[in-house]
Amino acid sequence: KEQHYSEQHSSLINKAYQTLLNPLSRGLYLLELSGVEPVQETDCDADSAFLMEIMEINEKLAEAKNEDSLEEIETLIKVKQEELTKEVTAAFERDDLEEAKKLLAKMKYFANLEDKLKAKKVPS
């Protein structure tokens, strides 16, 4: 009985750790705790400059032919994610949950780009 109890709690602790480890999932969890609706990618107010930036990175990713170009895109994505993470942190510190929600929606776009990048880097 104790072993079963330990296994259940170990699983919950691991899930909590993974949630808190990633800035996007951590931010989404904090919004959930505050009773804010789940983040949708449409929550970033369809900022046309932002959407153009995402499209350009997508195009670069689709056209990337070598490791160097993939590394360049990876660096760009990481820098953008770090900037957004700082902005989300500041929004939460100001208790501006709507701004945090918009920024987290933008972070979702970059998380999707990161997933595409990882898929492209893995040899077929």
Side-chain angles (χ1 to χ4, degrees):
K1 184 177 179 178
E2 285 181 25
Q3 184 176 1
H4 177 69
Y5 183 78
S6 294
E7 288 171 2
Q8 283 181 313
H9 283 83
S10 175
S11 172
L12 289 173
I13 290 170
N14 286 334
K15 184 178 178 190
Y17 176 74
Q18 291 304 316
T19 297
L20 297 176
L21 185 63
N22 179 299
L24 176 58
S25 60
R26 182 174 56 243
L28 295 173
Y29 181 70
L30 289 171
L31 284 181
E32 183 183 324
L33 285 178
S34 300
V36 176
E37 295 273 325
V39 171
Q40 305 297 321
E41 287 179 346
T42 55
D43 288 332
C44 65
D45 287 345
D47 174 356
S48 59
F50 173 76
L51 294 176
M52 284 298 294
E53 179 182 21
I54 295 297
M55 282 178 36
E56 288 172 12
I57 296 171
N58 258 319
E59 287 172 8
K60 284 181 186 178
L61 191 54
E63 295 169 359
K65 301 284 187 237
N66 57 40
E67 191 66 30
D68 288 341
S69 55
L70 290 175
E71 292 293 329
E72 181 182 318
I73 295 166
E74 183 176 29
T75 300
L76 175 66
I77 291 171
K78 283 184 179 180
V79 166
K80 294 292 185 178
Q81 287 175 319
E82 288 171 5
E83 288 172 4
L84 286 168
T85 299
K86 288 177 185 172
E87 291 176 32
V88 168
T89 300
F92 276 115
E93 287 172 353
R94 293 189 311 271
D95 204 30
D96 187 350
L97 300 181
E98 281 307 309
E99 180 65 15
K101 184 176 176 179
K102 289 176 189 174
L103 292 165
L104 286 165
K106 288 182 178 184
M107 285 180 76
K108 276 185 136 183
Y109 278 99
F110 281 102
N112 289 338
L113 286 171
E114 187 176 36
D115 290 342
K116 288 179 186 178
L117 176 72
K118 286 178 184 173
K120 190 154 185 155
K121 286 178 91 173
V122 173
S124 301

